[in-house]
Amino acid sequence: MVIRRWVAAVVAVAVTSAGCSRPAVESAEPTPVRPTWQSMVLPATSGAAARLLVRDATVCGGRWYAVGAVADSAGRNAPAAWSTVDGLVWSPIRLVPSSVYGARHVLYAVACRDARLVALGAASGGAHGNPRTATWMLHPDGALREVAAGFELFGGPRAVSVSRVAAGPREWLLVGARVAGAAVWSSPDGERFAVHEALPELASDDRGRTVAYDAVAVPSGWVLVGAVLTPGAVPVAWTSSDARVWRRALLPGVDGPGQAQRVVAADGAVLAVGPVRTGFGVWRLAEPGWRWVGGFGGGRGAVSVRALVASANLVVAVIIDADGYRLWCSDSGGESWRPVTLPVAVPSGDTGLVVALEEGRLMVFADAGDGSRAWWAHLQVGG
């Protein structure tokens, strides 16, 4: 994965006098970064009364994407996606479902590489209301099409979860869990996926049940993060060159239960973040292995990490704590963090907070329960 170096001119618009590093004077919580948020408009893809539900976003090849759904007044969902080249004027993407369930999907995860885009969607269905999951792929005609697949590829008696999608230089990876524990699905083209489950080190064993939450492509292959669910939970990471043979590593420095829930490549290294007893823990993978970097957000009841994005040395995390959704940022390799004020407060519940980041430009899609609205701002790096 190529990580772009920071261009100072791009972030010359200062949003605060200090950037994302911790200020010299320590406090119970660092002084927030206060961006100058500029609103954006996502066009409705159906009736004007539809509630927009943005649930993930990404950027690559000079284009930004947001995916999710629209809900009508009766609460019925239909998949939706938008794109922009300038970050200001967004256009809806044509959606082509291939199944009854696909027509009701919420697109909840997305990744892109060059001009290719793959999304995950799901809708509850069947006698037990289990998720009916499928992938979607952007075609050269500009349509995002549901990919037909066998029921047991993502569902069936061995199904547990399909959480994230990641794009690598040679293949695509889906991340989740099956009855046997942590599992992945790989594809050379983003369309035809094969499941890899019950693999040594990746799957559950006598050390506990495993679950995987997120993955990132690295020059040597893949880094996967998750947890071993013993009494409590232990944060773990896996590495693989081919998505079929995995090596497991326990992440160090945790006093009590913890999980690694999101991972990102940042400035030549890999960062993982997840909830721990003291707040949110941060780990860094660089030679010779994983090390505990520190943490942030203590004292507010850490719940989960919902997103982790990076551009050069700037990292932004979306977390949920006792106050709801919050943003934090770091420009020091994850060693120090500052909260970022949001344009609106977003409580936990039937809500969402989605981000995408490139060269200091941060896109935020916030749904406080009344539909997603969009903003952008520049984040300053340096102190």
Side-chain angles (χ1 to χ4, degrees), residues 148-346:
F151 172 65
E152 293 197 4
L153 180 62
F154 303 120
R158 299 191 304 277
V160 176
S161 65
V162 189
S163 303
R164 301 291 296 162
V165 56
R170 297 181 300 275
E171 63 180 352
W172 299 75
L173 201 72
L174 307 180
V175 178
R178 304 282 275 179
V179 169
V184 297
W185 295 253
S186 66
S187 170
D189 58 8
E191 186 168 13
R192 299 179 300 274
F193 280 90
V195 63
H196 309 295
E197 56 184 321
L199 299 180
E201 291 298 295
L202 185 61
S204 305
D205 53 27
D206 57 8
R207 291 170 288 181
R209 179 171 172 265
T210 59
V211 60
Y213 295 118
D214 197 14
V216 66
V218 294
S220 60
W222 296 102
V223 175
L224 186 68
V225 296
V228 176
L229 304 178
T230 59
V234 177
V236 297
W238 297 267
T239 54
S240 176
S241 61
D242 61 4
R244 292 157 182 81
V245 178
W246 293 88
R247 297 180 60 186
R248 184 190 302 190
L250 297 180
L251 299 186
V254 179
D255 178 15
Q259 301 186 37
Q261 293 183 339
R262 289 291 183 268
V263 64
V264 71
D267 202 28
V270 173
L271 289 181
V273 178
V276 296
R277 184 181 62 82
T278 54
F280 293 92
V282 184
W283 300 269
R284 185 180 178 91
L285 176 60
E287 293 297 335
W290 288 99
R291 69 179 179 90
W292 170 260
V293 175
F296 63 91
R300 290 179 178 265
V303 176
S304 65
V305 182
R306 304 311 299 267
L308 189 66
V309 295
S311 179
N313 68 329
L314 179 62
V315 183
V316 175
V318 176
I319 59 95
I320 299 178
D321 61 18
D323 293 333
Y325 284 87
R326 303 180 72 205
L327 277 184
W328 287 75
C329 70
S330 172
D331 57 15
S332 60
E335 295 188 6
S336 62
W337 295 74
R338 292 179 65 185
V340 181
T341 59
L342 287 168
V344 293
V346 183

Side-chain angles (χ1 to χ4, degrees), residues 40 42 51-55 69 82 351-354 365-375:
M40 302 181 294
L42 292 178
R51 176 186 171 192
L52 305 185
L53 309 174
V54 177
R55 292 300 179 256
W82 302 264
T351 55
L353 182 63
V354 169
F365 306 87
D367 178 5
D370 54 357
S372 294
R373 290 179 287 164
W375 293 265

Side-chain angles (χ1 to χ4, degrees), residues 3 7 11 25 31 87 90 102 118 121 128 160 176 179 205 219 223 285 302-303 331 334 357 364:
I3 305 298
V7 180
V11 294
V25 178
T31 303
W90 291 80
V118 174
H128 303 289
V160 176
V179 169
D205 53 27
V223 175
L285 176 60
V303 176
D331 57 15
L357 175 69
V364 167

